[in-house]
Amino acid sequence: MSYKVLIVEDEITLQETLAYNLTRQGYETLTTGNGRTALKLARENRPDLILLDVMLPGIDGFEVCRILRKDLSAPVLMLTARAEEIDKIVGLEMGADDYLTKPFSMRELLARVKALLRRVEIIREELTAEQGDDDQLRRSQTAVLAFGNLAIDDGRREVRLDDRPLRLKPKEFNLLQFLARHHGIALSRDLILERVWGWSYDGNSRTVDVHVRWLREKIEPDPSQATRIITVRSVGYRFDG
Ligand code: CA
């Protein structure tokens, strides 16, 4: 299935470069250089991801983001030219999911786009699973995920290493289960925090790091050279099995 990306950028050369590269990657693109048109396009087309420049004529990117957030859940990647804008994006919690500072490389942009769309995919899969029929749900709840000498038994909420049960704290189990269910995919600390600790949890991404360290001590042959729970630089973690 192809993802729809809305590109909001008033520098025409950059807008065209973005559209060209995203189309080449197989994404469907919509473009505009105007904040008001962006709102209209977003409502009519329900994009899966929005690239949003901060400095726009008319309504700026901050305002567009704030308005969009009221009825759209698609991730927003802000494109910014100045450091003080970054402070505003991070500090005001206007709902942007990520940002890139201009000038950026197309490679970096495509990597961020891919990471954000993976999040969309994971959340959709989970919603589908939650809405799926009871049988399917029961099967997924009683599944045993096996990775070499490591087995994660969802039904019994038990983890075995070399067939011996491990003592895990409830959150350690939930974290390992979440990572294992999405093995091979780099997951951001924020996403892990949201899905394992819940939306209302008041902690920060350090919580994730600490639990990963505890888990590594229990499941890695050598916790200082992790081969199961891999650190993915500037993203988070990936479970490699
Ligand atoms: Ca601009």
Side-chain angles (χ1 to χ4, degrees):
M1 147 187 175
S2 141
Y3 288 107
K4 216 182 286 172
V5 181
L6 172 60
I7 302 165
V8 189
E9 172 59 69
D10 62 323
E11 286 164 51
I12 293 303
T13 319
L14 180 56
Q15 186 198 96
E16 286 173 355
T17 312
L18 289 168
Y20 172 78
N21 282 279
L22 289 166
T23 309
R24 258 183 36 160
Q25 296 291 312
Y27 301 117
E28 213 180 299
T29 59
L30 296 156
T31 54
T32 176
N34 179 289
R36 267 178 226 289
T37 316
L39 291 172
K40 188 166 168 282
L41 284 174
R43 288 196 179 118
E44 286 169 2
N45 297 280
R46 317 298 292 182
D48 300 294
L49 173 74
I50 300 161
L51 299 187
L52 182 57
D53 181 31
V54 172
M55 292 305 290
L56 292 169
I59 340 178
D60 70 14
F62 292 133
E63 196 55 30
V64 172
C65 190
R66 245 192 306 267
I67 298 170
L68 279 177
R69 269 291 160 262
K70 290 181 187 149
D71 59 359
L72 264 191
S73 62
V76 175
L77 173 55
M78 305 261 331
L79 307 176
T80 157
R82 295 204 308 259
E84 49 282 24
E85 292 171 354
I86 297 172
D87 292 347
K88 212 170 160 193
I89 293 170
V90 177
L92 289 186
E93 292 174 4
M94 54 191 48
D97 296 84
D98 201 357
Y99 63 84
L100 266 180
T101 314
K102 294 177 186 176
F104 48 80
S105 73
M106 213 35 74
R107 202 168 143 243
E108 177 67 17
L109 177 109
L110 292 172
R112 302 284 185 95
V113 164
K114 220 169 151 185
L116 286 170
L117 286 172
R118 262 186 196 147
R119 282 180 50 176
V120 172
E121 205 172 324
I122 289 166
I123 291 167
R124 275 189 198 151
E125 273 170 17
E126 289 189 352
L127 288 176
T128 314
E130 279 164 26
Q131 288 158 2
D133 63 337
D134 286 350
D135 274 0
Q136 196 188 341
L137 202 58
R138 222 172 292 128
R139 265 204 305 281
S140 76
Q141 280 170 347
T142 55
V144 178
L145 296 167
F147 303 91
N149 62 349
L150 179 73
I152 303 155
D153 188 328
D154 281 2
R156 298 166 63 100
R157 277 187 70 82
E158 189 179 87
V159 175
R160 289 186 300 277
L161 188 69
D162 289 323
D163 239 6
R164 280 195 300 271
L166 290 179
R167 277 177 184 275
L168 294 188
K169 297 190 182 92
K171 280 288 183 267
E172 289 173 352
F173 180 87
N174 294 351
L175 172 62
L176 181 60
Q177 185 186 44
F178 180 71
L179 292 171
R181 278 181 182 169
H182 303 104
H183 62 96
I185 299 176
L187 302 163
S188 74
R189 290 179 174 80
D190 285 344
L191 178 68
I192 296 171
L193 203 60
E194 268 168 34
R195 306 306 292 186
V196 177
W197 277 265
W199 297 96
S200 56
Y201 181 70
D202 208 16
N204 59 44
S205 54
R206 281 284 302 140
T207 311
V208 178
D209 296 335
V210 170
H211 280 77
V212 164
R213 204 176 66 226
W214 290 340
L215 266 182
R216 279 177 174 157
E217 280 161 15
K218 294 175 182 172
I219 65 166
E220 295 279 359
D222 176 1
S224 66
Q225 304 278 325
T227 54
R228 298 200 125 129
I229 305 176
I230 310 295
T231 303
V232 183
R233 242 183 71 203
S234 77
V235 179
Y237 297 100
R238 186 186 70 227
F239 185 75
D240 275 1

